Amino acid sequence: DVKVTQSSRYLVKRTGEKVFLECVQDMDHENMFWYRQDPGLGLRLIYFSYDVKMKEKGDIPEGYSVSREKKERFSLILESASTNQTSMYLCASRQVGLITYEQYFGPGTRLTVT
Amino acid sequence: LAKTTQPISMDSYEGQEVNITCSHNNIATNDYITWYQQFPSQGPRFIIQGYKTKVTNEVASLFIPADRKSSTLSLPRVSLSDTAVYYCLVGRRYNFNKFYFGSGTKLNVKP
């Protein structure tokens, strides 16, 4: 089974702090994604990565950056956390070469910025 | 990408068949339809995808009429463990990395 793990289930940070969210997948998938999920808004794509060191902005990249130095690891960085970044953050991975929209999601990190 | 419209919530009882319909009036010729399931405190999980007519797997069936402006996810004989949010998504055929997650349908299965 594909396993996607996220470094924390719950995180509380202060406004202005730099925040790192880590995601690791164990299935050698090329594609990795970061989403945020908010009530009434569904999941929204922040960034995704085609492969190591390759990234592309999603629908809401403002205030975020990403890093992918190794294939299995994809990091989301909040340069200066703000209260409007309080949300559930979900990481996912996908295998290329298949005609499928199947992404494998991690359990999520609930981030609270105070 | 075509936006999707689903009922906000549905109730059912154990053992019943549940059909959740999704509207996607602006679906394009190359778009695929995909359904995900999400339990509380977990990430979404892929259930099924299709392009036209009917697709069935061990978990669910997906019915897509000829005009493809809607689709129906069918869950046979639901149990309490099927209580979850179900998302209908539309994705472009040659871009498997981008699709639109709506707000989903909260299915509540009662004993």
Side-chain angles (χ1 to χ4, degrees), chain A residues 11-12 22 39 46 54 65 67 78 80 83 86 89 93 98 102 109 111 114:
Chain A
L11 208 53
V12 180
E22 306 285 338
I46 304 172
M54 299 177 71
S65 62
S67 173
L78 287 67
S80 177
T83 54
T86 291
Y89 289 88
S93 71
L98 303 177
E102 182 170 13
T109 296
L111 172 68
T114 61

Side-chain angles (χ1 to χ4, degrees), chain A residues 82-95:
Chain A
S82 64
T83 54
N84 62 13
Q85 293 178 309
T86 291
S87 184
M88 171 69 83
Y89 289 88
L90 290 156
C91 174
S93 71
R94 177 183 172 271
Q95 182 177 352

Side-chain angles (χ1 to χ4, degrees), chain A residues 70-84:
Chain A
K70 293 185 177 181
K71 193 172 187 178
E72 67 271 18
R73 189 179 298 271
F74 191 33
S75 302
L76 180 69
I77 304 156
L78 287 67
E79 296 291 341
S80 177
S82 64
T83 54
N84 62 13

Side-chain angles (χ1 to χ4, degrees), chain B residues 26-98:
Chain B
N26 295 323
I27 192 167
T29 303
N30 288 330
D31 289 347
Y32 275 73
I33 299 150
T34 305
W35 285 80
Y36 275 76
Q37 173 192 55
Q38 186 175 24
F39 298 112
S41 301
Q42 293 187 26
R45 183 175 73 106
F46 174 89
I47 302 175
I48 197 167
Q49 74 175 45
Y51 183 74
K52 60 181 178 181
T53 61
K54 178 183 175 182
V55 180
T56 297
N57 62 21
E58 65 278 5
V59 176
S61 294
L62 177 60
F63 299 91
I64 305 169
D67 66 6
R68 304 197 329 119
K69 292 183 183 299
S70 66
S71 58
T72 299
L73 176 73
S74 181
L75 304 171
R77 296 184 300 281
V78 294
S79 65
L80 295 176
S81 63
D82 292 315
T83 293
V85 178
Y86 292 82
Y87 294 95
C88 165
L89 294 76
V90 171
R92 193 56 45 85
R93 180 173 185 171
Y94 298 109
N95 186 353
F96 300 102
N97 290 321
K98 195 161 187 180

